[in-house]
């Protein structure tokens, strides 16, 4: 019986969704093989929370927990944290230093993919297209005319490395830019402003499944809102259609690009890449390395469409991490 710490929560605005993801992972763990421990990683505390909601502090020196005098160490960590510190490489680096295996990609890949600007810059020389973009660091002079000249209108203002749907605005006029930028700065000290891509939005899960890099069925996203924001993603204000209503040729094309990005970056664990298809050309928006794991989340939906149960999906990630 392996002890599995399921880390959840995190320090971002999306921590509540992460807690739901982590509890779903615990629910579907094969109890004949694994003993799951729900570990809440929060700014004010790191604690194991048992079924009765009793809290036991995590010893950060070796990432262990002591319960009734017994010190418990973990064989593997299942990472279900959205945003920092689980999706930006911090937890991965910490666990690697301690010699503890974990289910997501390594710390460098995690830090790289969490930074939209750096990810898209690294993939660009390999022919993976992205929107026109403009970058700001907190404190930079804001020249709205220069921004509009570069990316046009409408455009999207996003936190560059916040790992969530918060702080994103669709801007239709130059006058709206300062407020949108200020809102994005509330989530991050770096901003990416991208040209509007008018096309079909799709999400592509890529995983290592039983030792083979596998592209899952593609999901088409149709948002009731102006774009796939927090409400659309988590509060039912969108249609998520799996498989996507795109041609077999486009399915192959997008899947090949998502798989190539996974391989180029030497990824491990889960990835979910977002694209917008414009005039038969896929443009990459981002890659998530700790995607949502709730029953309604995109990657679990895609796995089920591929005939992979959640129990199998989670066990596969743990077994690959333990190899």
């Amino acid at each position: 019986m392996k002890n599995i710490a399921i880390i959840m929560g995190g320090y971002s605005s999306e921590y509540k969704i992460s807690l739901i993801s982590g509890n779903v992972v615990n629910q579907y763990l094969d109890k004949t093989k694994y003993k799951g421990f729900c570990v809440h990683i929060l700014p004010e505390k790191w604690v194991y929370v048992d079924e009765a909601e009793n809290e036991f502090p995590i010893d950060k020196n070796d990432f262990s927990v002591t319960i009734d005098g017994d010190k418990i160490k973990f064989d593997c960590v299942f990472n279900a944290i959205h945003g920092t510190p689980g999706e930006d490489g911090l937890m991965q680096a910490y666990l690697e230093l301690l010699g503890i295996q974990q289910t997501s990609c390594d710390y460098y890949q995690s830090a790289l993919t969490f930074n939209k600007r750096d990810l898209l810059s690294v993939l660009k020389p390999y022919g993976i297209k992205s929107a026109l973009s403009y970058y700001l660091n907190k404190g930079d002079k804001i020249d709205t005319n220069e921004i509009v000249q570069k990316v046009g209108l409408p455009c999207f203002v996003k936190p560059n490395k916040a790992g969530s749907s918060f702080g994103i605005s669709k801007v239709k006029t130059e006058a709206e830019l300062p407020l949108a930028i200020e809102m994005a700065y509330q989530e991050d000290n770096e901003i990416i402003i991208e040209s509007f891509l008018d096309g079909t939005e799709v999400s592509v899960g890529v995983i290592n499944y039983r030792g083979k890099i596998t592209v899952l069925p593609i999901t088409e996203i149709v948002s009731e809102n102006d774009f796939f924001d927090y409400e659309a993603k988590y509060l039912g204000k969108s249609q998520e259609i799996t498989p996507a209503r795109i041609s077999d040729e486009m399915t192959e094309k997008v899947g090949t690009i998502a798989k190539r990005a996974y391989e180029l970056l030497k990824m491990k664990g889960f990835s979910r890449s977002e694209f917008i298809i414009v005039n038969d050309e896929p443009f990459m928006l981002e890659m998530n390395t700790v995607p949502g794991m709730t029953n309604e989340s995109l990657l679990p939906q895609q796995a089920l469409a591929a005939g992979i149960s959640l129990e199998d999906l989670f066990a596969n990630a743990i077994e690959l991490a333990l190899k």
Side-chain angles (χ1 to χ4, degrees):
M1 184 77 78
K2 302 284 188 187
N3 289 332
I4 310 298
I6 304 155
I7 57 173
M8 59 188 86
Y11 306 164
S12 83
S13 302
E14 223 159 348
Y15 78 95
K16 288 181 181 175
I17 302 298
S18 171
L19 293 175
I20 297 169
S21 286
N23 283 307
V24 168
V25 172
N26 187 48
Q27 178 189 340
Y28 284 96
L29 275 192
D30 183 344
K31 303 301 190 286
T32 65
K33 292 182 182 176
Y34 313 116
K35 182 170 173 53
F37 293 80
C38 293
V39 176
H40 293 197
I41 305 291
L42 301 168
E44 67 279 8
K45 60 187 176 183
W46 290 19
V47 289
Y48 158 56
V49 182
D50 70 11
E51 289 180 2
E53 298 196 3
N54 298 307
E55 295 184 356
F56 302 86
I58 294 293
D59 184 345
K60 294 182 184 178
N61 293 297
D62 59 2
F63 199 71
S64 66
V65 64
T66 300
I67 303 169
D68 298 331
D70 291 332
K71 187 183 182 78
I72 295 168
K73 292 196 168 186
F74 302 111
D75 298 292
C76 181
V77 170
F78 194 109
N79 184 5
I81 295 175
H82 310 319
T84 188
E87 204 169 1
D88 58 359
L90 295 178
M91 287 300 295
Q92 289 86 339
Y94 163 73
L95 293 169
E96 185 168 320
L97 286 171
L98 294 176
I100 300 173
Q101 303 302 318
Q102 53 89 31
T103 56
S104 54
C105 58
D106 292 335
Y107 67 90
Y108 171 73
Q109 285 79 1
S110 190
L112 175 68
T113 52
F114 194 66
N115 188 309
K116 297 179 182 75
R117 176 193 66 196
D118 293 357
L119 168 70
L120 298 173
S121 299
V122 165
L123 293 176
K124 191 174 181 180
Y126 296 97
I128 296 176
K129 294 186 168 79
S130 56
L132 290 171
S133 54
Y134 186 102
Y135 305 104
L136 283 171
N137 294 322
K138 195 152 195 175
D140 285 355
K141 178 175 175 286
I142 298 168
D143 185 332
T144 56
N145 182 58
E146 188 178 286
I147 294 168
V148 171
Q149 290 296 317
K150 176 78 182 287
V151 302
L153 288 169
C155 63
F156 282 99
V157 179
K158 306 175 182 178
N160 184 46
K161 49 179 177 50
S164 80
S165 306
F166 290 96
I168 301 176
S169 303
K170 183 178 180 182
V171 170
K172 296 172 184 173
T173 68
E174 185 177 335
E176 294 171 15
L177 273 168
L179 184 60
I181 289 167
E182 189 54 44
M183 197 169 94
Y185 275 142
Q186 289 173 18
E187 298 293 325
D188 189 13
N189 59 6
E190 296 177 13
I191 289 176
I192 179 171
I193 304 172
E194 293 180 322
S195 60
F196 172 62
L197 297 171
D198 191 6
T200 303
E201 184 166 356
V202 295
S203 180
V204 191
V206 181
I207 61 172
N208 183 333
Y209 184 63
R210 298 180 180 173
K212 182 185 177 189
I213 296 172
T214 302
V215 180
L216 297 173
I218 296 171
T219 301
E220 178 184 348
I221 296 162
V222 183
S223 176
E224 291 176 22
N225 293 350
D226 243 1
F227 60 97
F228 195 47
D229 59 6
Y230 184 88
E231 277 193 339
K233 190 182 285 188
Y234 296 121
L235 303 179
K237 294 288 186 85
S238 67
Q239 278 183 283
E240 295 158 5
I241 303 157
T242 310
R245 300 169 300 180
I246 55 178
S247 68
D248 291 346
E249 293 79 14
M250 185 52 62
T251 298
E252 177 71 25
K253 187 172 186 176
V254 178
T256 298
I257 294 170
K259 184 180 179 186
R260 185 150 187 256
Y262 189 100
E263 291 171 332
L264 283 169
L265 300 177
K266 299 182 180 174
M267 286 290 297
K268 293 178 184 172
F270 304 100
S271 86
R272 198 193 73 225
S273 297
E274 318 299 334
F275 294 87
I276 292 184
I277 302 165
V278 183
N279 298 327
D280 292 332
E281 201 59 62
F283 290 79
M284 191 176 201
L285 300 178
E286 62 181 348
M287 180 189 286
N288 299 284
T289 59
V290 188
M293 288 297 167
T294 70
N295 288 294
E296 297 77 26
S297 297
L298 294 174
L299 194 134
Q301 284 184 41
Q302 294 170 4
L304 291 171
I308 302 169
S309 69
L310 294 189
E311 185 175 276
D312 188 14
L313 182 71
F314 302 151
N316 175 73
I318 291 166
E319 292 308 315
L320 286 172
L322 288 170
K323 279 187 177 176

